[in-house]
Amino acid sequence: EVQLLESGGGLVQPGGSLRLSCAASGFTFSNFGMSWVRQAAGKGLEWVSGISHSGGIISYGDSVKGRFAISRDNSKNTLYLQMNSLRAEDTAVYYCVRRSSGLDAFDIWGQGTMVTVSA
Amino acid sequence: AIQMTQSPSSLSASVGDRVTITCRASQDIRNDLGWYQQKPGKAPNLLIYAASSLQSGVPSRFSGSGSGTDFTLTISSLQPEDFATYYCLQDYNYPFTFGPGTKVDI
């Protein structure tokens, strides 16, 4: 079964750091681009960051540029999001998402991990 | 960044109704647009990719059309399980951007 399982969410103080992980299974992870998408409570979806299958192409949304870093370890089938200088407005559910190269779309989503930034 | 707008922001409809949701991009994005359905407490689910291609397993009552800046998602005959929020997403260039969503109440 194709699956994405996020972990690493939790409560962190403003200005703090957190690293999210996403374990992929059921497919050849190294063949797919990946992204992180977040959603604050009661709000819409926001694309946060994306990385190509090899890690050679990386991009960030304007709201996290310079604070967040996406990476991947294809030998471990794992995607990461290092989040630094966290703000209250970063509070959200963070989804790990697979980008299908054939469809050019986000075809597989994880269940999400909650990040709360609060004193 | 490319801005995406959606209309309406919400709608109420009855079972069997034909429902149309519109998405507009702030610049030409060719057909690089997807539609996603999200039910409360769940992760989004891909419905349509490349503006008009139906994702495998998605009921044929869902269809998409458009190119350039104007796009449409149509549900031909609304079913009770279609109660959800619908988002468009442009993946023409980075940063990818979602529309604000359309909530469909049955």
Side-chain angles (χ1 to χ4, degrees), chain A residues 32-99:
Chain A
F32 292 85
M34 300 292 296
S35 279
W36 291 95
V37 172
R38 70 184 181 183
Q39 185 172 39
K43 303 298 184 182
L45 301 170
E46 180 187 10
W47 180 83
V48 173
S49 181
I51 186 169
S52 64
H53 66 96
S54 65
I57 299 173
I58 286 174
S59 184
Y60 299 97
D62 291 342
S63 62
V64 306
K65 200 173 296 184
R67 300 187 299 122
F68 288 12
I70 191 172
S71 62
R72 63 190 298 160
D73 186 335
N74 286 343
S75 69
K76 295 182 179 179
N77 294 335
T78 303
L79 176 72
Y80 302 99
L81 184 67
Q82 177 66 43
M83 303 186 295
N84 300 325
S85 302
L86 282 161
R87 306 165 180 167
E89 54 265 35
D90 295 319
T91 296
V93 173
Y94 285 73
Y95 293 103
C96 169
V97 191
R98 186 182 86 168
R99 183 165 176 78

Side-chain angles (χ1 to χ4, degrees), chain B residues 1 13 15 18 21 26-27 29 34-35 56 66 80 88 93-94 96 102:
Chain B
V15 173
R18 182 181 182 88
I21 299 169
S26 60
Q27 67 181 71
I29 60 170
W35 289 98
S56 176
C88 60
N93 65 11
Y94 286 125
F96 295 164
T102 296

Side-chain angles (χ1 to χ4, degrees), chain A residues 4-9 20-22 36-38 92-97 109-115, chain B residues 41-44:
Chain A
L4 298 171
L5 186 61
E6 302 95 336
S7 61
L20 305 183
S21 299
C22 171
W36 291 95
V37 172
R38 70 184 181 183
V93 173
Y94 285 73
Y95 293 103
C96 169
V97 191
W109 295 65
Q111 87 292 345
T113 188
M114 183 69 205
V115 172
Chain B
K42 301 293 187 181

Side-chain angles (χ1 to χ4, degrees), chain B residues 78-101:
Chain B
L78 198 65
Q79 298 302 302
E81 59 268 30
D82 299 337
F83 162 74
T85 300
Y86 295 84
Y87 296 92
C88 60
L89 168 72
Q90 73 80 17
D91 49 15
Y92 174 71
N93 65 11
Y94 286 125
F96 295 164
T97 43
F98 286 92

Side-chain angles (χ1 to χ4, degrees), chain B residues 60-76:
Chain B
S60 59
R61 63 181 179 272
F62 291 93
S63 65
S65 64
S67 66
T69 60
D70 294 313
F71 302 86
T72 299
L73 173 70
T74 299
I75 309 172
S76 61

